[in-house]
């Protein structure tokens, strides 16, 4: 599911003094041990955690944005 050396856009649930919210960040996976992902910053994420929402490979994000068609001007 995850590839070492690939950058991902992670979305996780985070608890703060203000309440619950989403934390979004982009990091590269440098090691995988079962469900544990070690990121370039040294952060370790458990991908089986209930606080883990999504991880989208940056290659998917780049190809999706390049497939978007530019808006054409319509004259009425």
């Amino acid at each position: 599911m995850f590839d070492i050396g690939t950058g991902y856009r992670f979305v996780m649930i985070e608890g703060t003094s203000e309440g619950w919210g989403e934390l979004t960040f982009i990091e590269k996976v440098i090691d995988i041990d079962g469900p544990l992902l070690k990121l370039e910053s040294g952060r370790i994420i458990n991908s089986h955690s209930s606080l883990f929402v999504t991880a989208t490979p940056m290659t998917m994000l780049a190809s999706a944005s390049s497939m978007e068609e530019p808006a054409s001007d319509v004259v009425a």
Side-chain angles (χ1 to χ4, degrees):
M1 179 176 175
F2 293 97
D3 294 318
I4 293 174
T6 300
Y8 292 88
R9 179 180 174 267
F10 291 95
V11 178
M12 299 192 66
I13 296 172
E14 143 181 271
T16 67
S17 60
E18 306 280 318
W20 294 96
E22 286 189 351
L23 171 68
T24 302
F25 58 93
I26 296 172
E27 285 245 26
K28 186 184 290 186
V29 174
I30 61 169
D31 196 17
I32 301 170
D33 184 11
L36 302 178
L37 308 174
K38 184 172 184 183
L39 307 181
E40 208 167 33
S41 66
R43 178 186 290 185
I44 296 176
I45 293 177
N46 182 350
S47 64
H48 289 183
S49 168
S50 60
L51 301 179
F52 180 88
V53 179
T54 64
T56 307
M58 292 306 295
T59 54
M60 284 183 70
L61 293 174
S63 63
S65 64
S66 67
M67 292 178 64
E68 293 176 3
E69 295 181 21
S72 59
D73 292 334
V74 177
V75 178

